[in-house]
Amino acid sequence: IEDEKYIDKKLDEIIEEIIDEDMSDYEKIVAINSFLIDNATYMKDEEKNGQSVRVLLEEGTGVCAAFANTVSKFSEKLGIENYYVKGEGKGVSQWSPHAWNKVKVEGLWYNFDAVWNLQKARLGIFPILLSDETIKHAHILLTPDTPACLNDR
């Protein structure tokens, strides 16, 4: 309960800093993505509570589950429909368990992988919201009954 109160308060503080009232849902997602790029680092193992949203917000480190849970919490606070999804992601040499989000932005569903966006940002690659077709070379969705994502943005 203490963690939830802390996380809730911290998210409110961050939202106050990065979100303007007149932003579209897409602009809000871009702001969340930018916040994570600027303030968080992916860690490859789960040492130090790597799945924890609190650790991600306090220390700026986490595994994919922490990033996906953080995106879900931001999205819920901002009224953006989302799913936390599990599957596999292709790393440099192998497939391994992975988590990311599906978000509904202006009536359309997109895959939003905050961890992958960290690397893409360093390389200057966009878009940040991806279709199922675009991500299928590096993501295998294992969460059933989630909406299809048909576009990139």
Side-chain angles (χ1 to χ4, degrees):
I1 296 175
E2 296 257 336
D3 266 2
E4 286 303 315
K5 286 181 183 176
Y6 170 83
I7 290 166
D8 195 51
K9 183 175 183 251
K10 187 69 175 168
L11 289 172
D12 286 341
E13 290 170 5
I14 295 165
I15 287 169
E16 176 107 9
E17 285 179 35
I18 68 170
I19 302 295
D20 291 329
E21 214 174 274
D22 60 345
M23 285 180 156
S24 68
D25 285 349
Y26 176 72
E27 291 169 324
K28 291 173 185 175
I29 290 293
V30 170
I32 294 166
N33 190 64
S34 296
F35 171 80
L36 292 170
I37 287 168
D38 293 342
N39 296 283
T41 304
Y42 174 72
M43 67 175 169
K44 293 182 177 157
D45 57 47
E46 295 183 24
E47 290 178 27
K48 291 180 24 181
N49 298 314
Q51 293 191 21
S52 166
V53 173
R54 182 176 183 138
V55 171
L56 183 72
L57 294 174
E58 277 185 346
E59 300 176 23
T61 61
V63 296
C64 57
F67 280 82
N69 278 320
T70 301
V71 168
S72 285
K73 289 186 178 297
F74 268 125
S75 297
E76 288 163 12
K77 282 193 157 290
L78 295 169
I80 298 170
E81 286 184 70
N82 73 95
Y83 286 88
Y84 172 99
V85 296
K86 294 180 183 179
E88 293 191 7
K90 188 173 185 186
V92 176
S93 62
Q94 66 185 23
W95 291 88
S96 59
H98 189 52
W100 66 98
N101 302 85
K102 288 191 173 195
V103 294
K104 188 175 186 182
V105 175
E106 295 155 16
L108 299 173
W109 285 95
Y110 300 91
N111 290 285
F112 177 44
D113 188 334
V115 169
W116 286 56
N117 287 346
L118 293 175
Q119 182 63 26
K120 287 170 38 181
R122 290 186 191 102
L123 300 172
I125 299 171
F126 293 92
I128 63 169
L129 300 175
L130 302 174
S131 69
D132 294 333
E133 181 68 24
T134 299
I135 68 162
K136 74 178 184 181
H137 72 283
H139 292 72
I140 299 171
L141 178 66
L142 299 177
T143 302
D145 303 323
T146 61
C149 303
L150 304 176
N151 300 289
D152 293 334
R153 182 163 183 194

